[in-house]
Amino acid sequence: MEKITEKNESSDFDELTKKIEEEILEEERGIYTEKTLEEAYNPKNVGELEAPSGAARVTGPCGDTLQMHIKVEENKIVDCKYITDGCGASMACGSVVTELVKGKTIEEALTVEDKDVLSVLGGLPEENIHCSVLAMDTLRAALEDYKSKNKSKNKS
Ligand code: FES
């Protein structure tokens, strides 16, 4: 009879974890595009900015929240970061939105649409469309925040 040692238990556990992770990834490949999985597992621009020029935090109908910060210099978005407690699709959407607006002027960023995010990702399942809407709503709110702060600055 094999003696169960701590080492055996932990390597069995590691193997089981690896197997489960592979199964989940395989299942996700059937649901999401490769691009969505890539952005969800290796998201860009995650974090917060110190003294952002515009900021917003929006909670979607699913109860998940996304926060976005933009840094604007001479009317250009020079940096954009986000954090979310949402699903993998919202991670992917936040990543794509930040990449889409970096380097754009405020006016150009306002023309970015939900369908642009979906087009980069190669689409999302119907039940995840609201995740891209959440990312875009947060961007628009951050742009509005920047505009309203700037308006009051210009007045004073
Ligand atoms: Fe809530 Fe995707 S952001 S389910």
Side-chain angles (χ1 to χ4, degrees):
M1 197 172 149
E2 194 187 338
K3 207 173 153 199
I4 299 173
T5 61
E6 223 175 83
K7 196 164 180 234
N8 263 348
E9 273 181 21
S10 86
S11 74
D12 283 354
F13 182 74
D14 288 349
E15 251 174 58
L16 184 66
T17 310
K18 211 171 147 209
K19 202 169 160 244
I20 291 170
E21 278 173 1
E22 276 165 12
E23 281 173 12
I24 291 172
L25 196 60
E26 213 32 60
E27 206 181 304
E28 287 179 334
R29 280 204 182 99
I31 303 170
Y32 301 104
T33 63
E34 274 299 317
K35 178 69 177 166
T36 304
L37 292 175
E38 185 193 311
E39 295 288 343
Y41 283 103
N42 303 296
K44 299 169 195 92
N45 309 312
V46 174
E48 297 181 298
L49 292 174
E50 232 176 81
S53 319
R57 186 180 289 168
V58 177
T59 299
C62 59
D64 295 328
T65 301
L66 199 140
Q67 172 186 282
M68 201 168 280
H69 285 173
I70 56 171
K71 179 108 192 139
V72 181
E73 280 171 15
E74 290 169 23
N75 200 40
K76 232 184 203 162
I77 299 173
V78 292
D79 206 357
C80 182
K81 290 207 183 294
Y82 80 103
I83 46 174
T84 182
D85 62 359
C87 64
S90 70
M91 281 302 283
C93 293
S95 175
V96 169
V97 168
T98 56
E99 283 292 288
L100 278 174
V101 300
K102 267 166 69 171
K104 284 193 166 54
T105 63
I106 296 295
E107 293 72 26
E108 287 167 345
L110 281 165
T111 66
V112 175
E113 294 179 45
D114 300 29
K115 67 174 168 53
D116 300 324
V117 179
L118 295 175
S119 149
V120 172
L121 293 175
L124 278 174
E126 193 59 37
E127 59 270 26
N128 287 114
I129 297 293
H130 74 273
C131 315
S132 63
V133 173
L134 174 63
M136 281 303 297
D137 282 351
T138 315
L139 168 70
R140 288 186 200 105
L143 292 170
E144 282 311 314
D145 181 54
Y146 168 76
K147 279 170 60 183
S148 71
K149 277 180 185 159
N150 243 38
K151 213 188 280 171
S152 53
K153 253 191 219 163
N154 289 343
K155 269 184 193 164
S156 60

